[in-house]
Amino acid sequence: MDSPPSPLGTAWRAIRREDLLLVVGYPALMWLLATVNGADAGWSPWPAAVVAWWPAVGIAGSLALLLRRGAPFVMAPVSAAAGVVLLLMGQGAGFLLFWETVFSLVLFAGDRASRATEIAALAATGLAAVAVLAATSDLRQAVMTALLLGLSLLLPAEWASNLRKARNLAAAEASRAGAVEEAARQRATIAAGRHELALATERQRMAHELHDVLSARLSAIALQTGAALRSGTPELSAEVLAHVRAESVAGLGELASMIRLLNAGEARESAGSIGDLESLVAAHAAAGARVSVSNTVSGTEAIPLQVQTAVYRIVAEALVNALRHAPGSAIDVRLAGGPGEGLLRVLVDNGPAAAGGTSAGSGDPATGASPGSAAGPGTMTGLTSLRLRAEQLGGTLEAGEHDGGWRVAARLPVAATPEGTVARTGAGPGPVAAAGPVPGHGGRR
């Protein structure tokens, strides 16, 4: 682990080019003043041999200025002491070091030290003027002392204070600009995250929609064609093929709708309503399914199309999966409720797989399961999609084993729409029954 930098090293790295210029400039200015004054240099209590060393003192005090940024509390006593010594040597250049000492402390020291230096400079100027006035009773000398110390102490203190305030203001503005920039970056990151989430959600929605639309129809087509191939009856084969053609045409239309949505964002409700359940049941009956339907829904024309579509998808998925996973069982579809109750209830029950089921359509089109045997566990993709569809409408969907078979139960809230807003209305109440051996263990894909 690297050791922390020493204070001296820190002070050394804080040195700037202008500090080096001061180290050279102040001794040069002191020499110029001494040359101009010549023999008129101030009186000194020290002998000439000692006074002759004043340039060394001036250079030492100037060298201390290198530490004014990194170590102002080391610089201040050295430069101030050098200024006092220069004054005692009769060199007025000592006031230059006083000036720089006050300036550096106010500008580079901490806030409390800076404020204390300003107060000390003001107090020293005032006390010195009062002391001269008390000692000499000469107002002129007192005023001159106040002016001299004011130029040496108060002026640099005020100047440095203004520079410090400007520097702090610039730092605050830079910090504010940095905060604004960081906030903008954070907003951009959040917006990008929301965009990615929206894309992921839309992809998931499209995947569920494609599954609901195509998987159910293709599975039904596979089951129905199997029934046609095994029936050996021309009339039944023709009926099954007619349903196969209808399923294919509807599937192509829904696929074209999804493609238009992907290409141009032209959204359209998927096909499927309560009124389409009759043809859906007839298609499965043609393949040999034993399906009974009880529909006591009232006010179908006032049920929003998206709710009717959800009902259609739930029943279609449950029927196909019943055919795939429990061969030979009877399937019972019940619909109840409506706008008057504010709730639509869908229930699809099927019993256990019938032993030795031989329906032509009972094999699993995806797995190749033989008739009369369960197709094996599904991926639950269909149930997940249907559950999401129900939740998006504010409802619930549950599926699981029931009385040795399988049950799919959905509850969808119904908010009635103005008359005429639903493109296709459902059939009125009434049972629909179809007989025939068929697989059925609903909703396991």
Side-chain angles (χ1 to χ4, degrees), residues 58-210:
I59 292 174
S62 299
L63 286 172
L65 298 179
L66 291 174
L67 304 176
R68 66 180 191 150
R69 299 175 189 272
F73 295 111
V74 176
M75 176 276 304
V78 175
S79 58
V84 172
V85 172
L86 285 175
L87 290 179
L88 293 176
M89 288 181 170
Q91 299 295 326
F95 286 107
L96 296 177
L97 293 180
F98 289 159
W99 196 101
E100 190 61 44
T101 298
V102 174
F103 182 86
S104 299
L105 282 176
V106 174
L107 183 58
F108 299 115
D111 292 337
R112 297 177 64 179
S114 174
R115 183 60 179 166
T117 302
E118 291 185 69
I119 296 174
L122 179 60
T125 301
L127 291 176
V130 172
V132 170
L133 181 60
T136 63
S137 300
D138 188 342
L139 181 60
R140 179 176 174 276
Q141 290 190 20
V143 171
M144 291 301 296
T145 299
L147 289 176
L148 181 60
L149 290 180
L151 291 174
S152 303
L153 302 178
L154 294 182
L155 180 61
E158 184 63 22
W159 187 2
S161 178
N162 290 335
L163 290 177
R164 185 185 184 93
K165 292 174 183 176
R167 183 186 64 186
N168 292 342
L169 180 60
E173 288 296 326
S175 177
R176 178 179 175 276
V180 170
E181 183 178 357
E182 180 62 23
R185 283 197 296 266
Q186 292 291 338
R187 286 195 296 271
T189 301
I190 293 174
R194 288 176 176 171
H195 179 67
E196 289 297 326
L197 180 60
L199 288 179
T201 303
E202 185 64 15
R203 286 194 296 267
Q204 186 182 51
R205 187 189 70 81
M206 289 180 179
H208 289 160
E209 188 69 19
L210 284 172

Side-chain angles (χ1 to χ4, degrees), residues 364-433:
D364 185 353
T367 65
S370 61
S373 62
T379 63
M380 306 300 288
T381 302
L383 280 180
T384 301
S385 177
L386 294 181
R387 187 174 289 112
L388 177 63
R389 183 185 290 271
E391 290 175 353
Q392 288 175 342
L393 294 174
T396 60
L397 184 140
E398 298 177 354
E401 294 183 2
H402 179 74
D403 290 339
W406 192 264
R407 166 171 288 183
V408 176
R411 296 168 61 88
L412 304 175
V414 178
T417 59
E419 185 175 356
T421 60
V422 179
R424 291 170 299 174
T425 60
V432 179

